[in-house]
Amino acid sequence: MQTHNLGYPRIGSNRELKKASEQYWAGSMTAAQLEQTAKKIRDTNWQLQKDAGMDLIPVNDFSFYDQVLDTCLMTGAIPDRYHPLIEKEQSAPLDLLFAMARGYQQNGYDLTAMEMTKWFDTNYHYIVPEFKKDQRFSFFNNKVIDQFNEAKKAGFNSKPVLLGPVSFLLSGKEKEDGFDRVDLLQNLLPVYMEVLEKLDAQGAYYIQIDEPCLALQLNEKTQQAIKTTYTILSTRFPNLRIVLASYFDCFGPNLKTALSLPVHTLHLDLVRCPLQLNDILDTPGFVNCRTHLSLGVVDGRNIWKNDFEQSLLLIQKAMDAIGSNRIWIAPSCSLLHVPCDLDLETDEKTLPEAIKQWMAFAKQKLREVASLKQIATDPGAAHSKKLLEENSRCMEARKTASMIHKQQVKDRVAAITAADAERISSFPVRKEKQQELGLPLFPTTTIGSFPQTKEVRNWRAQWKKQQLSDADYLQRVQEATRKAIQWQEEIALDVLVHGEFERNDMVEYFGEQLAGFAFTKNGWVQSYGSRCVKPPVIYGDVYRPKPMTVEWSAYAQSLTSKPVKGMLTGPVTILQWSFVRNDQPRNITGNQIALAIRDEVTDLEKAGIKIIQIDEPAIREGLPLRKEQQQAYLNWAVTAFRIAASGVQDQTQIHTHMCYSEFNDIIRSIAAMDADVITIETSRSQMELLDAFALFEYPNDIGPGVYDIHSPRVPTKEEMAALLEKALNYIPAERLWVNPDCGLKTRAWEETTQALTAMIQAAKALRKKINTPVPE
Ligand code: GLN
Ligand code: ZN
């Protein structure tokens, strides 16, 4: 029995890579220094994995930016616009990579970056490969060979990791019409063969090839592509042992294909799909074939300690069927998606020991893998018994801990009825009653946050370090809010916001005030490139001990006679951007959060807030990978939102906001959320997205963003007016709102003032035009 790991976080336990890359980009670090930092991170990670008891250690999981981008470079899939940089490559090889990832505006060049999108159902974003019809591939970048040699030299028993050719092709985009990127396999495979040949020559023995696409719905042709690939590679390289890894879900209908592949080891994600093990062991012929199984029993997507008893049941079942020699033990997927090291959490106030004892980060997870092997292979040993006992005690304690389990919260969720998810009247009736808000045609508003200047962030940092008293902090933030209200009145917005100056992050802010949430000091996870997030940990039953935003909203409302929107984060987004409990179904936790937000919504209404926005930017992210599970998720997510939103009178106007542009497949569910107004991102796609809304005849009010806040560029009044006119082709005038794409937190005040002033002028011009009778 072997232990192995699929991938380790590359940011460094203290985000060394982030800091070094950013310094390099800012020009305050040389390429050689950055390389040095990277080498040190790799070396530390390899040693740490070996010390944790890994028999086989992954290499080439390190990346300066992203593993899919690395694969573009390995295979020479470099879009034409970057070719001028290739000649310059000698001087700084890293610059080509960073240019592709982040764009390049230097030496007379203005090259746009490649697109970025989410990696399966994770919060990790990868660089999307660009493919042309006549796409050629050639071995370009030596990284995998270099890193294999680096590890070999340092004495590690390593296993190079590659993104498989089929998943690589599927992860990309066709930049021209008239071809199917899967057909590029023919051109691509020779490059993979060259890579394997080189690795073989350097003495590699095991090669991990990731084909996570096996967790998706694959058509016949793609399944055939997988078969072809692995038949060719296995035949060509009889000495290399291919470990084929898929994760994030079951093989589902691809199981037969997966089992037919002539690979040495098949890795299974048994956290997401434990039953798959039975299917495989029951497949006629499997028991007697030679394929090894890598059992991914330790959760690579969450931060909880493994339940050894559960994992051992699976391991034992496999051992009984095929014997321990054909079994490997591993985390379920790469550990890229969890923080590095729980040992660094030493601040009892941030993360109490009582909660920490239930958790495991990457380093701890590898020790669990090693412990599972120890217990499975030598159950009688005193050490094994001790490991198992300790673990059982911990699991038992968690089941009954009073800090986790609150009967009142459980009872309340159990008592949710259909009526809790219904507004009193239907939208047309509500719309009529909401006329009392006195809003003009094409009401103007913003999405919530205003520029979080250095100054504002400093106040919060000082306050957290207790260098600023509660009273002083409050006073400063109130002052900022007061100015923001006054400014909004001056530029003549119709629906105001308080500006969110008191918030660090739209999830963390609520998590900090809800019971059942814990935080870490150093629990960073790579989101993309140098960007990391620190998700809250939901450990216990969630409830709202006291109002969270009412004072801020009421204060802001007291300063003006115009309506000020209450501003909340929705239950699905809070759930999606946190590490969630694994001891109860996700939807129960989500419903607990929904009730907590509902309490806040009704309290805002009581405090005289007439418009309340519940942001759900993450609703689409939670969509399961497999089609057959998607509807159940959407039904639940819609209901959770509606529970949060439905405790109010008809007169109270509920808004929601989402910032992404793929709605086509979920538009029905978006409509079912039944928010009175939805604001969405559309300006980049030139309102294309509205097709979905028009086709479906979306029934409620819509505010398609006319100002792209992700760019420092200030749009003109004419541009925005044109976008609005375009929107009028899709949305009736009486249901059209005017607003930016998203919150303005990352923008500066000056550009914000210019852009919003122009936006308001555009709305006014449109009102005038609509109200002016056409001359006979
Ligand atoms: N209200 C939030 C803001 O304006 C919404 C942010 C988001 O959708 N990501 O910042
Ligand atoms: Zn947004």
Side-chain angles (χ1 to χ4, degrees):
M1 190 182 282
Q2 292 222 61
T3 52
H4 76 131
N5 183 23
L6 275 65
Y8 199 79
R10 54 218 178 198
I11 53 175
S13 302
N14 288 300
R15 285 184 299 157
E16 292 87 345
L17 187 64
K18 172 202 174 66
K19 292 168 195 163
S21 317
E22 288 175 359
Q23 279 179 25
Y24 176 68
W25 298 334
S28 55
M29 186 184 260
T30 65
Q33 286 170 319
L34 176 56
E35 294 277 7
Q36 203 47 44
T37 308
K39 187 166 185 307
K40 209 161 141 203
I41 293 174
R42 290 195 290 269
D43 211 55
T44 310
N45 285 353
W46 292 333
Q47 189 60 50
L48 174 159
Q49 295 180 76
K50 186 177 170 187
D51 292 347
M54 287 307 98
D55 297 326
L56 267 179
I57 291 161
V59 299
N60 198 41
D61 54 340
F62 177 83
S63 175
F64 277 107
Y65 209 93
D66 163 49
Q67 71 273 10
V68 182
L69 176 60
D70 290 348
T71 312
C72 290
L73 284 159
M74 179 181 88
T75 59
I78 301 165
D80 293 342
R81 62 183 180 283
Y82 305 107
H83 284 199
L85 296 180
I86 296 179
E87 281 103 71
K88 294 179 64 226
E89 247 254 297
Q90 267 73 351
S91 49
L94 279 175
D95 289 343
L96 173 64
L97 178 141
F98 288 139
M100 291 165 76
R102 318 175 58 237
Y104 188 85
Q105 276 183 315
Q106 268 177 61
N107 311 327
Y109 292 110
D110 186 359
L111 311 176
T112 55
M114 292 168 76
E115 230 178 280
M116 210 163 52
T117 197
K118 277 162 58 67
W119 180 242
F120 292 80
D121 60 351
T122 71
N123 276 332
Y124 176 79
H125 301 70
Y126 71 94
I127 300 287
V128 183
E130 298 178 12
F131 298 126
K132 299 183 299 182
K133 202 168 171 178
D134 62 346
Q135 183 70 46
R136 309 218 157 269
F137 299 96
S138 61
F139 180 65
F140 180 79
N141 182 299
N142 225 28
K143 182 190 133 203
V144 54
I145 323 287
D146 291 345
Q147 295 192 358
F148 174 71
N149 284 328
E150 189 181 306
K152 191 167 79 177
K153 218 170 112 195
F156 293 103
N157 187 18
S158 71
K159 168 193 60 171
V161 180
L162 296 173
L163 174 59
V166 180
S167 294
F168 173 57
L169 288 175
L170 289 184
S171 73
K173 248 192 181 170
E174 287 131 19
K175 287 302 207 181
E176 300 170 329
D177 287 339
F179 76 107
D180 175 357
R181 58 195 187 281
V182 175
D183 292 331
L184 301 176
L185 185 65
Q186 230 185 341
N187 294 343
L188 178 63
L189 260 188
V191 182
Y192 273 80
M193 289 200 243
E194 198 176 331
V195 172
L196 261 53
E197 200 173 302
K198 286 182 202 285
L199 286 169
D200 195 9
Q202 298 298 324
Y205 191 56
Y206 291 106
I207 309 258
Q208 175 186 325
I209 309 189
D210 289 9
E211 290 286 12
C213 70
L214 284 166
L216 303 175
Q217 240 89 14
L218 297 182
N219 59 22
E220 223 5 78
K221 179 171 156 188
T222 311
Q223 301 211 25
Q224 193 53 50
I226 297 253
K227 282 188 207 163
T228 311
T229 302
Y230 292 94
T231 307
I232 293 182
L233 295 182
S234 307
T235 320
R236 243 324 268 290
F237 301 100
N239 296 329
L240 284 180
R241 306 188 154 197
I242 297 177
V243 181
L244 186 79
S246 176
Y247 32 78
F248 303 151
D249 214 325
C250 308
F251 289 116
N254 308 322
L255 180 64
K256 230 177 117 198
T257 301
L259 286 178
S260 75
L261 304 175
V263 294
H264 178 272
T265 301
L266 201 57
H267 171 81
L268 314 174
D269 183 338
L270 292 181
V271 174
R272 283 286 171 92
C273 190
L275 291 178
Q276 181 155 280
L277 184 62
N278 294 341
D279 300 346
I280 293 176
L281 297 176
D282 290 346
T283 300
F286 182 81
V287 167
N288 297 320
C289 78
R290 287 188 357 225
T291 314
H292 289 50
L293 286 182
S294 157
L295 310 179
V297 284
V298 171
D299 195 350
R301 296 284 300 272
N302 213 334
I303 44 72
W304 301 110
K305 218 173 232 181
N306 188 259
D307 183 341
F308 283 179
E309 214 173 293
Q310 291 290 327
S311 299
L312 286 163
L313 277 178
L314 294 166
I315 297 170
Q316 194 59 51
K317 193 185 290 170
M319 279 169 71
D320 291 345
I322 60 175
S324 59
N325 286 342
R326 270 168 68 192
I327 293 173
W328 291 13
I329 317 252
S332 60
C333 59
S334 165
L335 296 174
L336 180 68
H337 311 289
V338 290
C340 293
D341 187 0
L342 188 64
D343 293 345
L344 298 177
E345 299 299 325
T346 50
D347 181 6
E348 171 77 17
K349 272 206 232 99
T350 311
L351 185 65
E353 184 56 38
I355 301 170
K356 188 179 156 186
Q357 58 162 342
W358 295 317
M359 294 165 57
F361 289 176
K363 189 171 113 187
Q364 289 71 30
K365 283 173 186 291
L366 293 181
R367 296 210 187 115
E368 294 181 334
V369 169
S371 298
L372 286 168
K373 171 179 159 181
Q374 157 75 30
I375 304 169
T377 50
D378 194 2
H383 181 46
S384 304
K385 285 189 179 146
K386 185 167 162 260
L387 287 170
L388 190 55
E389 255 169 42
E390 268 172 20
N391 183 269
S392 309
R393 217 178 307 126
C394 184
M395 292 301 134
E396 219 31 64
R398 199 174 152 205
K399 272 184 203 134
T400 50
S402 63
M403 70 187 301
I404 295 183
H405 301 280
K406 308 284 176 205
Q407 198 51 45
Q408 262 179 326
V409 179
K410 295 185 203 295
D411 292 347
R412 197 172 164 209
V413 168
I416 291 175
T417 64
D420 293 329
E422 296 284 347
R423 296 286 298 264
I424 299 165
S425 309
S426 64
F427 175 73
V429 176
R430 299 196 309 260
K431 175 137 179 129
E432 192 54 44
K433 293 193 188 169
Q434 288 166 17
Q435 294 304 319
E436 70 178 43
L437 286 167
L439 297 173
L441 191 63
F442 312 127
T444 54
T445 189
T446 62
I447 308 302
S449 58
F450 283 136
Q452 282 252 338
T453 55
K454 243 198 193 122
E455 203 187 8
V456 175
R457 279 179 284 144
N458 272 343
W459 297 337
R460 190 163 37 248
Q462 285 178 340
W463 173 58
K464 289 218 160 152
K465 280 190 229 145
Q466 296 182 343
Q467 290 163 0
L468 202 65
S469 71
D470 290 357
D472 283 344
Y473 176 67
L474 183 79
Q475 190 240 322
R476 282 177 208 203
V477 179
Q478 277 192 345
E479 182 58 16
T481 309
R482 194 187 59 73
K483 277 196 197 147
I485 294 286
Q486 194 185 354
W487 168 80
Q488 292 173 87
E489 286 193 322
E490 274 160 26
I491 62 171
L493 277 158
D494 300 311
V495 174
L496 314 193
V497 296
H498 76 286
E500 302 182 24
F501 302 108
E502 77 288 8
R503 301 186 189 177
N504 34 7
D505 169 276
M506 64 187 286
V507 170
E508 197 173 3
Y509 181 76
F510 290 93
E512 279 175 349
Q513 302 187 70
L514 290 167
F517 281 74
F519 294 84
T520 63
K521 273 243 146 93
N522 208 39
W524 297 99
V525 179
Q526 188 177 18
S527 166
Y528 65 89
S530 70
R531 284 289 291 267
C532 302
V533 293
K534 195 155 60 74
V537 175
I538 306 179
Y539 68 88
D541 288 332
V542 176
Y543 62 95
R544 187 193 69 144
K546 60 180 193 337
M548 304 181 282
T549 65
V550 175
E551 269 176 45
W552 287 112
S553 289
Y555 171 71
Q557 186 63 80
S558 75
L559 304 169
T560 175
S561 56
K562 287 192 169 175
V564 177
K565 269 196 279 194
M567 197 54 66
L568 304 173
T569 303
V572 185
T573 299
I574 294 182
L575 189 74
Q576 199 56 34
W577 290 350
S578 304
F579 284 120
V580 299
R581 291 170 68 170
N582 62 351
D583 60 343
Q584 71 182 13
R586 263 181 103 76
N587 58 353
I588 301 273
T589 307
N591 285 348
Q592 294 179 353
I593 304 172
L595 288 172
I597 300 296
R598 180 186 176 97
D599 293 344
E600 188 72 11
V601 170
T602 47
D603 277 350
L604 281 169
E605 183 185 59
K606 272 186 223 140
I609 305 300
K610 299 198 155 52
I611 306 184
I612 300 163
Q613 178 172 312
I614 308 172
D615 291 325
E616 283 291 18
I619 214 160
R620 196 176 201 295
E621 292 179 12
L623 207 59
L625 296 175
R626 306 206 85 93
K627 279 233 158 51
E628 63 269 23
Q629 293 156 12
Q630 291 179 349
Q631 199 51 52
Y633 161 79
L634 286 169
N635 292 347
W636 166 75
V638 167
T639 309
F641 177 86
R642 292 175 59 130
I643 291 169
S646 297
V648 290
Q649 298 303 309
D650 285 341
Q651 286 79 354
T652 299
Q653 189 172 67
I654 298 288
H655 290 216
T656 190
H657 164 72
M658 290 168 202
C659 34
Y660 44 82
S661 41
E662 285 160 50
F663 282 102
N664 295 17
D665 49 346
I666 60 163
I667 184 77
R668 222 163 266 282
S669 305
I670 304 283
M673 288 166 69
D674 196 26
D676 297 304
V677 183
I678 183 170
T679 54
I680 50 172
E681 176 173 315
T682 38
S683 73
R684 271 208 188 178
S685 66
Q686 294 289 314
M687 301 283 153
E688 260 170 37
L689 152 70
L690 290 178
D691 275 340
F693 282 78
L695 249 148
F696 174 74
E697 297 184 21
Y698 182 82
N700 302 6
D701 285 16
I702 311 180
V706 289
Y707 161 27
D708 173 14
I709 65 89
H710 299 98
S711 159
R713 205 177 148 266
V714 175
T716 62
K717 169 189 154 193
E718 288 72 26
E719 265 170 63
M720 290 187 275
L723 285 175
L724 286 171
E725 295 220 21
K726 207 161 168 188
L728 277 177
N729 295 328
Y730 301 92
I731 307 163
E734 62 286 358
R735 291 205 267 115
L736 181 63
W737 283 64
V738 179
N739 47 264
D741 259 356
C742 193
L744 294 154
K745 168 171 164 174
T746 56
R747 300 268 57 92
W749 273 110
E750 197 183 300
E751 49 186 314
T752 300
T753 305
Q754 284 171 15
L756 291 186
T757 307
M759 183 187 89
I760 292 159
Q761 283 169 356
K764 284 187 178 153
L766 195 64
R767 278 174 209 152
K768 206 161 152 199
K769 193 162 164 189
I770 291 257
N771 290 327
T772 313
V774 187
E776 305 250 319

